[in-house]
Each structure stands twice: as C-alpha cells, then as structure tokens.
C-alpha cells in the first residue's frame, strides 16, 4: 500500500516539473530546452551573446561587444509567448549566422505543444489520485484508483512523447547548427529537457502505485466478503 499512498506525491511532482517546463523561456528565462551562444573575436573587436529557447518562445541575453577597447552592452529581450514561434532578425544578429532561421520554424516548434498537454493530464491524474487516499471499508477508493490509472496512462504517454519530441528537436538543431555555423555557435542542452525526463519517470512510477491501489483495495474487499460469508 506504500506505493499507492505515494502515488499522489509522484503525480504532483510530475505536474510541477511539466508546468515549469511549459512556463520556460520566454516566461521563465532560467528554464529552457536548449541554449545557443556565440563568442567571436577579430582584430580590435569582439562580442558574445546567447539565446535561451523554451516551449513558447525565446529570450536573448545581453549582448556584449568590445570595439577598439570600448565596451558596449545591448539589453536583452524576450519574444512574445506563442505556440509555433518564429525567429526574427535579432537572433541572426546575435548568433552571427542566418542559417538558424531555417532550422527553427513555426512547424518545428509546434511539437512543443506536447509539454502543456502532458501538464494538463498530469494535473487531472493528481486530482483523482487524492481520492485514492480514502480507505473506505466497502472499497469505495477503488473507482478513483481506476480513474487515476486511466488518466495517468495518458499523462505518462504524453510526457514520454514530449520528452522524445524535445530530444529530437534539440538534436536536429544541434546537428544543423554544427553543420551550418562551423563551430561558431555553441549549443547547450537545457534543464527543461531533463525536467521532462524526471516528470516522465515520476508518472510511470505513479502508475505502479495506482495499480497497487487497485489490487490492494480489491483484495481488501474480497477478504471482507469471504469473512462475512463465513459468519
């Protein structure tokens, strides 16, 4: 019964992680799926900057340039949150390459919709799992366990699809950037990818707890029925 009682905590943890990933850059800049950064230098001039990419957009960090010993900093900014976002000319200017706009487009980033879908399903599963904590003598907690398991399966599948989608998109960007930019642009995996992985694992573990709740409550009911028949 321990896993059954622990399932609500796992569902809640998965929901919070997925919610933070959904609210990643440009809403919460420190959380992102991947980061592109560049640091270039020529005779008498140098510059560096970076961009954090999230589910609904991106944030450009402060751009620092040095020309003939004179430092200049351009304030960063974030794009407007939208599903299937596109890049503007400022991204190419910061990274010093125009090929990035061909890699990250509206159709590509639309795959990130799997993250908020998984978030919503995880919340519903968490809501139903709270009723699993009710241990009625007549087995009334069995129905919430069934509902939790059913929605939990959908949430786990959605989280798995979101994780795979995030991995595939980031891998494609990394390969294209490496081929087009020739090493001038560096790509870093974001914490949002690993948060999605942790949420996926938590959801599958929570499903085991929900299954234990179904089997455990069912067994309790059968034992009680047998005892009553004996009397």
């Amino acid at each position: 019964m321990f896993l059954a009682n622990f399932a609500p905590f796992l569902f809640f943890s998965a929901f919070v992680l997925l919610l933070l990933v959904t609210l990643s850059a440009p809403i919460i800049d420190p959380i992102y799926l991947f980061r592109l950064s560049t640091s270039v230098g020529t005779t008498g001039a140098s510059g560096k900057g970076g961009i954090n990419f999230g589910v609904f957009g991106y944030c450009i960090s402060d751009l620092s340039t040095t020309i003939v010993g004179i430092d200049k900093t351009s304030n960063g900014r974030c794009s407007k949150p939208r599903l299937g976002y596109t890049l503007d000319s400022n991204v190419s200017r910061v990274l010093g390459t125009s090929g990035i706009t061909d890699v990250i487009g509206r159709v590509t980033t639309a795959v990130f919709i799997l993250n908020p879908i998984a978030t919503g399903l995880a919340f519903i599963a968490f809501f139903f799992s709270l009723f699993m904590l009710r241990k009625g003598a007549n087995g009334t907690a069995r129905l919430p366990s069934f509902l939790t398991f059913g929605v939990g399966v959908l949430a786990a599948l959605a989280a798995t699809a979101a994780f795979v989608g995030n991995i595939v998109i980031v891998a494609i960007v990394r390969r294209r950037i490496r081929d087009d930019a020739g090493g001038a642009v560096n790509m870093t995996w974001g914490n949002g990818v690993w948060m999605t992985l942790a949420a996926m694992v938590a959801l599958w573990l929570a499903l085991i707890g929900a299954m234990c709740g179904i089997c455990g409550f069912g067994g309790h009911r059968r034992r009680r029925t047998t005892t009553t028949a004996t009397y």
Side-chain angles (χ1 to χ4, degrees), residues 138-188:
N138 59 353
T140 54
R142 195 177 181 187
L143 177 59
S145 297
F146 275 116
L147 293 175
T148 300
F149 183 81
V151 180
V153 168
L154 296 178
L157 291 175
T160 302
F163 173 68
V164 173
N166 294 343
I167 287 288
V168 169
I169 296 302
V170 176
I172 292 175
V173 171
R174 183 177 186 179
R175 184 185 63 185
R176 292 290 299 274
I177 288 297
R178 182 178 55 199
D179 296 340
D180 297 342
V185 178
N186 299 319
M187 199 218 76
T188 305

Short mmCIF file of all heavy atoms in Angstrom, two decimals, residues 138-188:
data_model
loop_
_atom_site.label_atom_id
_atom_site.label_comp_id
_atom_site.label_asym_id
_atom_site.label_seq_id
_atom_site.Cartn_x
_atom_site.Cartn_y
_atom_site.Cartn_z
N ASN A 138 -15.79 -0.36 2.41
CA ASN A 138 -16.53 -1.03 1.34
C ASN A 138 -15.83 -0.93 0.00
O ASN A 138 -16.41 -1.19 -1.04
CB ASN A 138 -17.93 -0.43 1.23
CG ASN A 138 -17.87 1.07 0.95
OD1 ASN A 138 -16.80 1.66 0.96
ND2 ASN A 138 -19.03 1.66 0.71
N GLY A 139 -14.57 -0.50 0.02
CA GLY A 139 -13.79 -0.45 -1.22
C GLY A 139 -14.12 0.71 -2.11
O GLY A 139 -13.94 0.63 -3.32
N THR A 140 -14.63 1.83 -1.58
CA THR A 140 -15.03 2.97 -2.40
C THR A 140 -13.85 3.65 -3.06
O THR A 140 -14.04 4.41 -3.99
CB THR A 140 -15.79 4.01 -1.54
OG1 THR A 140 -14.97 4.36 -0.42
CG2 THR A 140 -17.11 3.43 -1.06
N ALA A 141 -12.62 3.42 -2.58
CA ALA A 141 -11.45 4.05 -3.18
C ALA A 141 -10.99 3.34 -4.44
O ALA A 141 -10.03 3.76 -5.06
CB ALA A 141 -10.32 4.11 -2.16
N ARG A 142 -11.66 2.28 -4.80
CA ARG A 142 -11.25 1.52 -5.96
C ARG A 142 -11.53 2.29 -7.25
O ARG A 142 -10.73 2.26 -8.19
CB ARG A 142 -11.99 0.18 -5.96
CG ARG A 142 -11.39 -0.85 -6.91
CD ARG A 142 -12.11 -2.16 -6.80
NE ARG A 142 -11.55 -3.16 -7.66
CZ ARG A 142 -12.07 -4.36 -7.84
NH1 ARG A 142 -13.18 -4.67 -7.20
NH2 ARG A 142 -11.52 -5.24 -8.65
N LEU A 143 -12.67 2.97 -7.35
CA LEU A 143 -13.01 3.74 -8.53
C LEU A 143 -12.01 4.86 -8.80
O LEU A 143 -11.53 5.01 -9.94
CB LEU A 143 -14.43 4.29 -8.42
CG LEU A 143 -14.89 5.18 -9.58
CD1 LEU A 143 -14.83 4.42 -10.90
CD2 LEU A 143 -16.30 5.72 -9.31
N PRO A 144 -11.65 5.68 -7.78
CA PRO A 144 -10.61 6.68 -8.03
C PRO A 144 -9.29 6.08 -8.50
O PRO A 144 -8.57 6.69 -9.29
CB PRO A 144 -10.45 7.37 -6.67
CG PRO A 144 -11.75 7.18 -6.00
CD PRO A 144 -12.22 5.82 -6.43
N SER A 145 -8.97 4.87 -8.02
CA SER A 145 -7.74 4.22 -8.46
C SER A 145 -7.82 3.89 -9.95
O SER A 145 -6.85 4.07 -10.69
CB SER A 145 -7.50 2.94 -7.65
OG SER A 145 -7.31 3.23 -6.29
N PHE A 146 -8.98 3.42 -10.40
CA PHE A 146 -9.17 3.13 -11.81
C PHE A 146 -9.07 4.42 -12.64
O PHE A 146 -8.43 4.44 -13.69
CB PHE A 146 -10.53 2.46 -12.05
CG PHE A 146 -10.51 0.98 -11.85
CD1 PHE A 146 -11.26 0.39 -10.83
CD2 PHE A 146 -9.76 0.16 -12.67
CE1 PHE A 146 -11.25 -0.98 -10.65
CE2 PHE A 146 -9.74 -1.22 -12.50
CZ PHE A 146 -10.49 -1.79 -11.48
N LEU A 147 -9.74 5.48 -12.18
CA LEU A 147 -9.70 6.74 -12.91
C LEU A 147 -8.29 7.31 -12.94
O LEU A 147 -7.83 7.82 -13.97
CB LEU A 147 -10.65 7.74 -12.24
CG LEU A 147 -12.15 7.42 -12.33
CD1 LEU A 147 -12.95 8.43 -11.53
CD2 LEU A 147 -12.60 7.40 -13.78
N THR A 148 -7.59 7.22 -11.80
CA THR A 148 -6.22 7.71 -11.74
C THR A 148 -5.33 6.95 -12.70
O THR A 148 -4.50 7.54 -13.41
CB THR A 148 -5.66 7.57 -10.31
OG1 THR A 148 -6.48 8.32 -9.41
CG2 THR A 148 -4.23 8.08 -10.22
N PHE A 149 -5.50 5.64 -12.72
CA PHE A 149 -4.67 4.82 -13.61
C PHE A 149 -4.95 5.15 -15.08
O PHE A 149 -4.02 5.27 -15.88
CB PHE A 149 -4.93 3.33 -13.35
CG PHE A 149 -4.06 2.42 -14.17
CD1 PHE A 149 -2.76 2.16 -13.78
CD2 PHE A 149 -4.55 1.83 -15.33
CE1 PHE A 149 -1.95 1.31 -14.54
CE2 PHE A 149 -3.76 0.99 -16.09
CZ PHE A 149 -2.45 0.73 -15.69
N GLY A 150 -6.23 5.31 -15.42
CA GLY A 150 -6.58 5.61 -16.80
C GLY A 150 -6.01 6.93 -17.28
O GLY A 150 -5.36 7.01 -18.34
N VAL A 151 -6.22 7.99 -16.51
CA VAL A 151 -5.69 9.30 -16.88
C VAL A 151 -4.17 9.31 -16.75
O VAL A 151 -3.46 9.95 -17.54
CB VAL A 151 -6.31 10.40 -16.00
CG1 VAL A 151 -5.75 11.77 -16.38
CG2 VAL A 151 -7.82 10.40 -16.13
N GLY A 152 -3.66 8.57 -15.75
CA GLY A 152 -2.21 8.51 -15.55
C GLY A 152 -1.50 7.90 -16.74
O GLY A 152 -0.39 8.32 -17.10
N VAL A 153 -2.11 6.89 -17.37
CA VAL A 153 -1.51 6.29 -18.56
C VAL A 153 -1.40 7.34 -19.68
O VAL A 153 -0.37 7.44 -20.35
CB VAL A 153 -2.35 5.08 -19.03
CG1 VAL A 153 -1.92 4.64 -20.42
CG2 VAL A 153 -2.22 3.94 -18.05
N LEU A 154 -2.49 8.11 -19.86
CA LEU A 154 -2.45 9.16 -20.88
C LEU A 154 -1.39 10.20 -20.57
O LEU A 154 -0.67 10.67 -21.46
CB LEU A 154 -3.83 9.82 -20.99
CG LEU A 154 -4.99 8.94 -21.45
CD1 LEU A 154 -6.29 9.73 -21.45
CD2 LEU A 154 -4.71 8.38 -22.84
N ALA A 155 -1.28 10.59 -19.28
CA ALA A 155 -0.28 11.57 -18.88
C ALA A 155 1.14 11.05 -19.09
O ALA A 155 2.01 11.78 -19.58
CB ALA A 155 -0.48 11.96 -17.41
N ALA A 156 1.36 9.78 -18.73
CA ALA A 156 2.69 9.19 -18.90
C ALA A 156 3.06 9.09 -20.38
O ALA A 156 4.21 9.37 -20.77
CB ALA A 156 2.74 7.81 -18.24
N LEU A 157 2.09 8.70 -21.21
CA LEU A 157 2.36 8.62 -22.65
C LEU A 157 2.63 10.00 -23.24
O LEU A 157 3.54 10.17 -24.07
CB LEU A 157 1.17 7.97 -23.37
CG LEU A 157 0.96 6.47 -23.09
CD1 LEU A 157 -0.32 5.99 -23.77
CD2 LEU A 157 2.15 5.65 -23.57
N ALA A 158 1.86 11.00 -22.79
CA ALA A 158 2.07 12.37 -23.28
C ALA A 158 3.42 12.90 -22.84
O ALA A 158 4.12 13.57 -23.61
CB ALA A 158 0.94 13.28 -22.79
N ALA A 159 3.81 12.63 -21.59
CA ALA A 159 5.11 13.08 -21.09
C ALA A 159 6.24 12.39 -21.84
O ALA A 159 7.27 13.01 -22.15
CB ALA A 159 5.22 12.82 -19.60
N THR A 160 6.06 11.11 -22.14
CA THR A 160 7.07 10.39 -22.91
C THR A 160 7.20 10.97 -24.31
O THR A 160 8.32 11.18 -24.81
CB THR A 160 6.71 8.89 -23.01
OG1 THR A 160 6.59 8.35 -21.69
CG2 THR A 160 7.78 8.12 -23.77
N ALA A 161 6.06 11.26 -24.94
CA ALA A 161 6.09 11.88 -26.27
C ALA A 161 6.72 13.26 -26.22
O ALA A 161 7.47 13.65 -27.13
CB ALA A 161 4.67 11.95 -26.84
N ALA A 162 6.43 14.02 -25.15
CA ALA A 162 7.01 15.36 -25.01
C ALA A 162 8.53 15.27 -24.85
O ALA A 162 9.27 16.06 -25.46
CB ALA A 162 6.40 16.07 -23.80
N PHE A 163 8.98 14.33 -24.04
CA PHE A 163 10.43 14.16 -23.85
C PHE A 163 11.11 13.77 -25.16
O PHE A 163 12.15 14.35 -25.53
CB PHE A 163 10.69 13.11 -22.78
CG PHE A 163 12.14 12.75 -22.63
CD1 PHE A 163 13.05 13.66 -22.13
CD2 PHE A 163 12.59 11.48 -23.01
CE1 PHE A 163 14.39 13.32 -22.01
CE2 PHE A 163 13.92 11.15 -22.89
CZ PHE A 163 14.83 12.06 -22.39
N VAL A 164 10.52 12.80 -25.86
CA VAL A 164 11.10 12.39 -27.14
C VAL A 164 11.09 13.54 -28.13
O VAL A 164 12.07 13.78 -28.85
CB VAL A 164 10.34 11.17 -27.70
CG1 VAL A 164 10.83 10.83 -29.11
CG2 VAL A 164 10.53 9.96 -26.79
N GLY A 165 9.97 14.28 -28.17
CA GLY A 165 9.89 15.43 -29.08
C GLY A 165 10.93 16.48 -28.76
O GLY A 165 11.58 17.03 -29.67
N ASN A 166 11.11 16.79 -27.48
CA ASN A 166 12.13 17.76 -27.08
C ASN A 166 13.53 17.31 -27.50
O ASN A 166 14.33 18.09 -28.02
CB ASN A 166 12.08 17.99 -25.57
CG ASN A 166 10.79 18.63 -25.11
OD1 ASN A 166 10.06 19.21 -25.91
ND2 ASN A 166 10.49 18.53 -23.83
N ILE A 167 13.81 16.02 -27.25
CA ILE A 167 15.12 15.47 -27.59
C ILE A 167 15.37 15.55 -29.10
O ILE A 167 16.44 15.96 -29.55
CB ILE A 167 15.24 14.00 -27.11
CG1 ILE A 167 15.37 13.95 -25.59
CG2 ILE A 167 16.42 13.31 -27.78
CD1 ILE A 167 16.71 14.40 -25.07
N VAL A 168 14.37 15.16 -29.89
CA VAL A 168 14.53 15.15 -31.34
C VAL A 168 14.75 16.55 -31.88
O VAL A 168 15.66 16.78 -32.70
CB VAL A 168 13.29 14.50 -32.00
CG1 VAL A 168 13.31 14.71 -33.52
CG2 VAL A 168 13.23 13.02 -31.68
N ILE A 169 13.94 17.52 -31.43
CA ILE A 169 14.08 18.89 -31.92
C ILE A 169 15.45 19.46 -31.56
O ILE A 169 16.14 20.05 -32.41
CB ILE A 169 12.97 19.79 -31.35
CG1 ILE A 169 11.60 19.32 -31.85
CG2 ILE A 169 13.22 21.25 -31.76
CD1 ILE A 169 11.47 19.30 -33.35
N VAL A 170 15.88 19.27 -30.32
CA VAL A 170 17.18 19.79 -29.89
C VAL A 170 18.30 19.11 -30.66
O VAL A 170 19.29 19.75 -31.05
CB VAL A 170 17.37 19.61 -28.37
CG1 VAL A 170 18.76 20.05 -27.95
CG2 VAL A 170 16.31 20.41 -27.61
N ALA A 171 18.18 17.81 -30.90
CA ALA A 171 19.21 17.09 -31.64
C ALA A 171 19.30 17.59 -33.08
O ALA A 171 20.40 17.74 -33.64
CB ALA A 171 18.92 15.59 -31.62
N ILE A 172 18.14 17.86 -33.70
CA ILE A 172 18.14 18.39 -35.07
C ILE A 172 18.80 19.76 -35.11
O ILE A 172 19.63 20.04 -35.99
CB ILE A 172 16.70 18.46 -35.61
CG1 ILE A 172 16.14 17.05 -35.81
CG2 ILE A 172 16.65 19.25 -36.91
CD1 ILE A 172 14.68 17.04 -36.23
N VAL A 173 18.44 20.62 -34.15
CA VAL A 173 19.05 21.95 -34.10
C VAL A 173 20.55 21.84 -33.90
O VAL A 173 21.34 22.56 -34.56
CB VAL A 173 18.41 22.78 -32.97
CG1 VAL A 173 19.17 24.08 -32.76
CG2 VAL A 173 16.96 23.06 -33.27
N ARG A 174 20.98 20.95 -33.01
CA ARG A 174 22.41 20.80 -32.76
C ARG A 174 23.16 20.37 -34.00
O ARG A 174 24.24 20.89 -34.30
CB ARG A 174 22.61 19.78 -31.64
CG ARG A 174 24.07 19.60 -31.24
CD ARG A 174 24.18 18.63 -30.08
NE ARG A 174 25.54 18.57 -29.60
CZ ARG A 174 25.93 17.82 -28.58
NH1 ARG A 174 25.04 17.09 -27.92
NH2 ARG A 174 27.20 17.80 -28.20
N ARG A 175 22.60 19.43 -34.75
CA ARG A 175 23.28 18.96 -35.96
C ARG A 175 23.34 20.03 -37.04
O ARG A 175 24.39 20.24 -37.66
CB ARG A 175 22.54 17.73 -36.50
CG ARG A 175 23.22 17.09 -37.70
CD ARG A 175 22.39 15.97 -38.27
NE ARG A 175 21.11 16.49 -38.76
CZ ARG A 175 20.12 15.73 -39.23
NH1 ARG A 175 20.26 14.42 -39.22
NH2 ARG A 175 19.02 16.28 -39.68
N ARG A 176 22.21 20.73 -37.24
CA ARG A 176 22.19 21.77 -38.26
C ARG A 176 23.10 22.94 -37.91
O ARG A 176 23.78 23.50 -38.77
CB ARG A 176 20.76 22.26 -38.47
CG ARG A 176 19.83 21.23 -39.09
CD ARG A 176 20.19 21.00 -40.56
NE ARG A 176 20.06 22.22 -41.33
CZ ARG A 176 18.92 22.63 -41.89
NH1 ARG A 176 17.82 21.90 -41.73
NH2 ARG A 176 18.89 23.74 -42.59
N ILE A 177 23.12 23.31 -36.63
CA ILE A 177 23.99 24.40 -36.20
C ILE A 177 25.45 24.02 -36.38
O ILE A 177 26.29 24.82 -36.82
CB ILE A 177 23.71 24.78 -34.73
CG1 ILE A 177 22.38 25.51 -34.64
CG2 ILE A 177 24.83 25.64 -34.16
CD1 ILE A 177 22.34 26.83 -35.38
N ARG A 178 25.77 22.78 -36.07
CA ARG A 178 27.15 22.32 -36.21
C ARG A 178 27.58 22.32 -37.67
O ARG A 178 28.72 22.66 -38.00
CB ARG A 178 27.28 20.91 -35.63
CG ARG A 178 28.70 20.33 -35.67
CD ARG A 178 28.70 18.96 -35.04
NE ARG A 178 27.71 18.09 -35.69
CZ ARG A 178 27.22 16.99 -35.15
NH1 ARG A 178 27.60 16.62 -33.94
NH2 ARG A 178 26.35 16.25 -35.81
N ASP A 179 26.65 21.97 -38.58
CA ASP A 179 26.99 21.93 -40.00
C ASP A 179 27.04 23.32 -40.62
O ASP A 179 27.91 23.61 -41.44
CB ASP A 179 25.98 21.06 -40.75
CG ASP A 179 26.02 19.60 -40.32
OD1 ASP A 179 27.05 19.19 -39.74
OD2 ASP A 179 25.02 18.89 -40.53
N ASP A 180 26.09 24.19 -40.24
CA ASP A 180 25.97 25.49 -40.89
C ASP A 180 26.90 26.55 -40.29
O ASP A 180 27.46 27.37 -41.01
CB ASP A 180 24.53 25.99 -40.82
CG ASP A 180 23.57 25.08 -41.58
OD1 ASP A 180 24.06 24.29 -42.41
OD2 ASP A 180 22.36 25.16 -41.34
N ALA A 181 27.04 26.54 -38.96
CA ALA A 181 27.81 27.60 -38.30
C ALA A 181 29.29 27.27 -38.22
O ALA A 181 30.09 28.16 -37.89
CB ALA A 181 27.26 27.85 -36.89
N GLY A 182 29.66 26.02 -38.47
CA GLY A 182 31.08 25.68 -38.46
C GLY A 182 31.76 25.86 -37.12
O GLY A 182 32.94 26.22 -37.06
N GLY A 183 31.04 25.65 -36.03
CA GLY A 183 31.64 25.76 -34.70
C GLY A 183 31.58 27.14 -34.10
O GLY A 183 32.00 27.33 -32.95
N ALA A 184 31.05 28.12 -34.84
CA ALA A 184 30.98 29.48 -34.30
C ALA A 184 29.88 29.63 -33.26
O ALA A 184 29.92 30.53 -32.42
CB ALA A 184 30.75 30.48 -35.44
N VAL A 185 28.87 28.74 -33.32
CA VAL A 185 27.75 28.79 -32.38
C VAL A 185 27.76 27.52 -31.54
O VAL A 185 27.85 26.41 -32.07
CB VAL A 185 26.40 28.92 -33.13
CG1 VAL A 185 25.25 28.93 -32.14
CG2 VAL A 185 26.39 30.18 -33.99
N ASN A 186 27.67 27.68 -30.24
CA ASN A 186 27.65 26.55 -29.32
C ASN A 186 26.22 26.28 -28.86
O ASN A 186 25.45 27.20 -28.59
CB ASN A 186 28.52 26.84 -28.09
CG ASN A 186 29.97 27.06 -28.46
OD1 ASN A 186 30.51 26.37 -29.32
ND2 ASN A 186 30.61 28.04 -27.84
N MET A 187 25.87 25.00 -28.77
CA MET A 187 24.55 24.62 -28.29
C MET A 187 24.67 23.86 -26.98
O MET A 187 25.51 22.97 -26.84
CB MET A 187 23.83 23.74 -29.31
CG MET A 187 22.32 23.69 -29.08
SD MET A 187 21.59 22.07 -29.39
CE MET A 187 22.09 21.18 -27.93
N THR A 188 23.84 24.23 -26.00
CA THR A 188 23.85 23.61 -24.69
C THR A 188 22.45 23.05 -24.40
O THR A 188 21.45 23.74 -24.60
CB THR A 188 24.21 24.63 -23.59
OG1 THR A 188 25.46 25.24 -23.91
CG2 THR A 188 24.33 23.94 -22.24
#
